[in-house]
């Protein structure tokens, strides 16, 4: 009887550990953020692993793509931290920015040929 109870307890503990590990892995993968321009012109991506932002121009149309990172502090004050341009060369441009927990951040990306910019859907932090 005791042996059966111990076996069941071990089975439940193992299943619980597997579930926790599985949920942790998916939560990490979901912490990356990306916003994409219409017509496949380009995108801005935040890589949580290393706190790196990447701006990519995906069309050889003579116009680049610009991304911006905005910050809002605990007092509600918003400001643009920086902009990053990509276009006219192969590969994407990248910039590191240590995203902390005391402020929240929002990404913005636009095509330099005109039109509206695209914003990340919500403010985020780590």
């Amino acid at each position: 009887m005791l042996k059966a109870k111990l076996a069941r307890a071990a089975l439940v503990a193992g299943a619980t550990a597997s579930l926790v590990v599985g949920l942790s892995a998916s939560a990490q993968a979901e912490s990356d953020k990306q916003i994409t321009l219409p017509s496949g012109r380009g995108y801005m991506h935040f890589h949580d692993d290393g706190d790196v932002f990447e701006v990519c121009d995906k069309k050889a149309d003579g116009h680049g793509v610009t991304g911006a990172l905005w910050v809002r502090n605990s007092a509600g004050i918003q400001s643009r931290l920086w902009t990053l341009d990509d276009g006219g060369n192969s590969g994407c441009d990248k910039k590191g920015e240590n995203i902390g927990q005391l402020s929240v951040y929002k990404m913005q990306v636009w095509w330099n040929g005109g039109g509206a910019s695209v914003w990340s859907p919500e403010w985020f932090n780590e």
Side-chain angles (χ1 to χ4, degrees):
M1 180 84 163
L2 180 60
K3 193 174 189 180
K5 285 184 180 182
L6 288 175
R8 257 186 263 141
L11 181 63
V12 168
T16 303
S18 296
L19 180 62
V20 169
V21 169
L23 290 175
S24 297
S26 65
Q28 273 185 330
E30 292 176 2
S31 60
D32 285 7
K33 308 270 185 227
Q34 181 166 312
I35 51 175
T36 304
L37 290 168
S39 303
R41 288 193 166 104
Y43 62 87
M44 183 172 182
H45 187 94
F46 169 64
H47 300 273
D48 186 38
D49 185 15
D51 288 358
V52 174
F53 290 85
E54 177 178 44
V55 174
C56 292
D57 178 9
K58 300 305 285 179
K59 296 260 184 178
D61 57 10
H63 301 284
V65 171
T66 300
L69 183 65
W70 291 78
V71 63
R72 184 176 69 201
N73 65 20
S74 59
I77 300 170
Q78 299 177 28
S79 61
R80 187 169 66 186
L81 287 177
W82 48 258
T83 60
L84 181 62
D85 298 315
D86 185 50
N89 61 0
S90 62
C92 302
D93 286 358
K94 296 179 182 181
K95 180 168 182 56
E97 183 70 44
N98 187 18
I99 299 296
Q101 295 179 343
L102 299 177
S103 298
V104 290
Y105 301 85
K106 193 167 192 111
M107 298 185 299
Q108 176 188 20
V109 65
W110 61 91
W111 176 58
N112 296 329
S117 60
V118 176
W119 290 84
S120 54
E122 72 262 340
W123 292 91
F124 65 94
N125 68 4
E126 286 186 323

